[in-house]
Amino acid sequence: MAVLGLFAAVRAAPGPWQRVACAAAGFRGRCPGKGYAVGRAQVEPDQVILSHSPMKLFSQYHGKRMIVSGQGPLVENAQILGFKNVVTVDELRMAFPVLDMVDLQRRPKTTPLPRNDFPAIEGVLLLGEPVRWETSLQLIMDVLLSNGNPGTGLATAPYPHLPVLASNMDLLWMAEAKMPRFGHGTFLLCLETIYRKVTGKELRYKGLMGKPSILTYQYAEELIRRQAERRGWAAPIQKLYAVGDNPMSDVYGANLFNQYLKMAKHEGAEKLGASGLLKQRPSATQSCASILVCTGVYSPKTPGSTEPAQGGEAPPFHGHRDFSFSPGLIEAAHIVNDVDEAVQLVFHKEGWAL
């Protein structure tokens, strides 16, 4: 899953911060140009923010029975986030085998008896792209259209529908292939399109997390502030640096949050509709600078999504439906080759000798 890469510029105690920054850049042993030793355990779990981490704030849903979609240890991950009563897509499929009909090999050979002992589902939790998209899309739609009772069905689809929480909106990501791969944002696009086609209405989210959501950056800012306080750093954090390889999520999100910070200073966070989920103290952070690295989706040789197409046409917007496109938000404050150069850039900007 996507990891939020944020560096905090702290005026006091640059030494400890350099050790953390060097570890984040992948250095082992001694930090280049300095005598700071970098051990194996520099980056701790509470320093890592995943796209779904802000779901810890949605406590009003933690006790509800949620269907969870994604892959890996889904139940464990959901429980870590605070959700106490989850059911996986596979568990739902096993309870109602006639729902999963696309794969001929998985269709039941006999008609199973109807079940009336399966508790109603009260919400949808989307943590990341699943393996069998057709099964997840079908069963999640069944849950939404039946108001959480997919074994029965309803004559009319309820609206508003059950609460939906989703994380990780990247349409594309870069792996070993020469071309970008589908991300969870593509899965969300499929679900939204199917829902609108079937019902004629928009699928709405109670929470949409991960880059470029402002809530994700607020969550990261608060976490960084708490870490600094635990380490005894008295000086307030005034600058954040966000490093990433995707203009439509990493750069867009950092610039959007930077825009929010500047507006909040003049108008106040409350007037801007800041989330009430996060009980933040007045922020001392003044800026969030975007740093684009050329080691993933973005490449200066094939900019693709960041420059106009032939004939002067506007580039396609790869961001999520709920975030309006603004060309200025995908323009990075800095472009470097890799994370190593990004860390060196931060050191240079803050006046820390390498």
Side-chain angles (χ1 to χ4, degrees):
M1 295 183 178
V3 177
L4 180 61
L6 278 179
F7 293 161
V10 184
R11 290 181 179 177
W17 167 243
Q18 282 185 306
R19 293 197 291 273
V20 174
C22 288
F27 296 131
R28 294 294 180 265
R30 292 185 176 275
C31 190
K34 284 288 181 182
Y36 302 119
V38 178
R40 292 184 178 180
Q42 283 294 319
V43 179
E44 300 174 0
D46 68 346
Q47 293 174 284
V48 179
I49 299 173
L50 300 176
S51 60
H52 58 237
S53 296
M55 287 187 179
K56 296 176 183 177
L57 303 173
F58 289 78
S59 57
Q60 68 270 41
Y61 301 111
H62 288 173
K64 294 185 179 295
R65 184 169 170 81
M66 308 285 286
I67 183 171
V68 58
S69 170
Q71 55 184 290
L74 285 175
V75 174
E76 179 183 353
N77 288 340
Q79 289 175 343
I80 291 173
L81 294 172
F83 295 92
K84 304 175 180 65
N85 188 7
V86 296
V87 56
T88 66
V89 171
D90 277 342
E91 289 172 336
L92 183 61
R93 180 180 67 84
M94 294 299 291
F96 302 99
V98 296
L99 298 181
D100 189 23
M101 302 296 284
V102 173
D103 188 339
L104 297 179
Q105 299 299 318
R106 300 216 303 188
R107 287 187 181 182
K109 301 299 185 284
T110 60
T111 303
L113 294 174
R115 292 188 57 173
N116 56 10
D117 61 342
F118 195 84
I121 293 172
E122 301 173 283
V124 179
L125 189 59
L126 306 175
L127 297 185
E129 57 266 28
V131 175
R132 284 180 170 265
W133 285 32
E134 80 284 358
T135 296
S136 292
L137 288 169
Q138 177 69 78
L139 269 64
I140 291 169
M141 282 294 298
D142 289 338
V143 168
L144 293 173
L145 297 179
S146 67
N147 204 34
N149 296 280
T152 59
L154 296 175
T156 303
Y159 200 84
H161 53 69
L162 292 174
V164 179
L165 301 177
S167 66
N168 195 349
M169 295 172 272
D170 285 5
L171 185 77
L172 304 169
W173 67 289
M174 202 68 188
E176 289 75 18
K178 297 298 183 182
M179 299 177 68
R181 304 293 85 196
F182 292 156
H184 193 222
T186 306
F187 179 82
L188 297 180
L189 176 62
C190 292
L191 181 62
E192 294 156 7
T193 304
I194 294 170
Y195 186 86
R196 180 169 179 79
K197 193 72 173 179
V198 170
T199 68
K201 299 180 175 66
E202 293 285 353
L203 180 73
R204 295 299 181 189
Y205 298 93
K206 291 296 184 181
L208 192 55
M209 284 141 279
K211 298 168 291 187
S213 169
I214 287 180
L215 174 62
T216 297
Y217 289 84
Q218 290 176 316
Y219 182 86
E221 178 192 16
E222 178 66 14
L223 210 60
I224 289 173
R225 180 162 52 188
R226 292 176 186 174
Q227 292 169 11
E229 289 177 351
R230 286 201 301 267
R231 288 163 175 78
W233 300 352
I237 295 173
Q238 296 184 337
K239 298 180 184 178
L240 295 176
Y241 294 87
V243 182
D245 68 354
N246 192 328
M248 289 295 182
S249 58
D250 300 316
V251 173
Y252 185 107
N255 289 342
L256 189 65
F257 186 55
N258 184 61
Q259 186 180 81
Y260 166 83
L261 289 172
K262 294 185 181 304
M263 294 177 65
K265 294 298 181 184
H266 297 287
E267 302 181 28
E270 295 79 8
K271 292 184 179 180
L272 293 178
S275 173
L277 296 169
L278 201 58
K279 305 302 180 183
Q280 285 186 309
R281 293 162 291 178
S283 175
T285 306
Q286 298 177 353
S287 64
C288 180
S290 55
I291 304 178
L292 180 63
V293 295
C294 306
T295 51
V297 173
Y298 175 78
S299 170
K301 297 179 182 178
T302 56
S305 61
T306 63
E307 290 188 0
Q310 291 183 352
E313 297 179 2
F317 178 49
H318 290 173
H320 188 268
R321 174 203 68 186
D322 291 357
F323 293 83
S324 60
F325 178 61
S326 175
L329 291 178
I330 62 172
E331 296 180 4
H334 309 281
I335 301 178
V336 297
N337 287 321
D338 50 36
V339 177
D340 183 4
E341 285 192 16
V343 174
Q344 294 185 50
L345 174 67
V346 174
F347 285 0
H348 174 72
K349 289 286 184 182
E350 296 304 313
W352 300 341
L354 290 171

